[in-house]
Amino acid sequence: MATLVFIVLAYLIGSVPFAVIVSRTMGLADPRSYGSGNPGATNVLRSGNKKAAVLTLIGDALKGWLAVYLAERFADAWGVGDFGLAAVALAVFLGHLYPIFLRFAGGKGVATAAGVLFAISPILGLAVMATWLIIAIFFRYSSLAALVAAVFAPLYYVFMFGFGPYSPAVIVMAILLIYRHRANIGKLIAGKESRIGQKKPK
């Protein structure tokens, strides 16, 4: 029962839509109404408000980190095992992708996944973030950077920890990240993908 409670709470934490909350608080348009329609930091950046995008990024990453951190902090006291911790990591990520507060239409999960990885291991998180940054800086495509980081995240985890307790969650998150970027893959191939900071025409 405790494991189930941890999973549900993690999902609810992941469902908090920081892109919408930040945009409304700062008097900006709902991020679902422009650009890609995605409630995430990259799309919020298309509003032209960098502060809002940064705050969204921090919020989405923080909720991923917080859910896993709290689960690890209280797991022993409540008898939650390795399976429960892995399920929590996946649940907070799924909460962002399919948030109950936005009728299950959420973001693509890049920042939240990063927060989860940082909670699992700061070194793992830094390795994946560095991979994202390198691709983003050189190619200026957020989606390409996310795809490359998603491919490398499970490899980094296995290299550092072997097939540890979080490996199923990390692998599933990577697969879901790639799946959520399937439209971007087509645009990248066609040369129609928007670059970081580029506003889409109305």
Side-chain angles (χ1 to χ4, degrees):
M1 180 60 71
T3 298
L4 180 60
V5 171
F6 274 45
I7 293 171
V8 171
L9 289 176
Y11 170 77
L12 293 175
I13 291 173
S15 291
V16 177
F18 279 100
V20 176
I21 293 172
V22 170
S23 295
R24 288 181 180 175
T25 301
M26 300 183 70
L28 304 174
D30 191 313
R32 295 169 293 175
S33 67
Y34 60 82
S36 65
N38 177 55
T42 300
N43 199 42
V44 171
L45 184 60
R46 294 190 178 103
S47 71
N49 193 312
K50 295 181 180 179
K51 182 179 179 181
V54 170
L55 289 174
T56 300
L57 180 69
I58 292 173
D60 285 345
L62 184 61
K63 66 185 182 183
W65 177 86
L66 182 64
V68 176
Y69 170 79
L70 290 176
E72 289 190 340
R73 173 70 175 76
F74 296 104
D76 289 341
W78 290 89
V80 176
D82 289 343
F83 169 80
L85 292 175
V88 164
L90 186 56
V92 67
F93 179 71
L94 289 173
H96 180 80
L97 266 57
Y98 308 103
I100 191 172
F101 305 125
L102 296 182
R103 298 182 180 179
F104 306 105
K108 295 179 180 176
V110 177
T112 302
V116 169
L117 295 177
F118 268 100
I120 293 174
S121 166
I123 296 176
L124 175 63
L126 285 171
V128 175
M129 185 177 73
T131 302
W132 188 95
L133 283 172
I134 290 170
I135 301 300
I137 290 171
F138 278 95
F139 295 96
R140 302 293 295 172
Y141 289 116
S142 175
S143 57
L144 179 61
L147 288 165
V148 174
V151 170
F152 275 89
L155 300 178
Y156 290 150
Y157 181 88
V158 172
F159 177 77
M160 293 178 185
F161 309 107
F163 288 95
Y166 282 110
S167 54
V170 175
I171 292 170
V172 173
M173 283 194 300
I175 293 171
L176 287 172
L177 275 169
I178 294 171
Y179 173 74
R180 295 286 285 189
H181 283 82
R182 61 194 184 281
N184 302 91
I185 294 173
K187 291 179 181 179
L188 285 166
I189 294 173
K192 297 180 180 179
E193 179 71 322
S194 298
R195 294 181 183 271
I196 295 174
Q198 178 182 343
K199 293 183 180 180
K200 285 195 173 183
K202 296 180 180 179

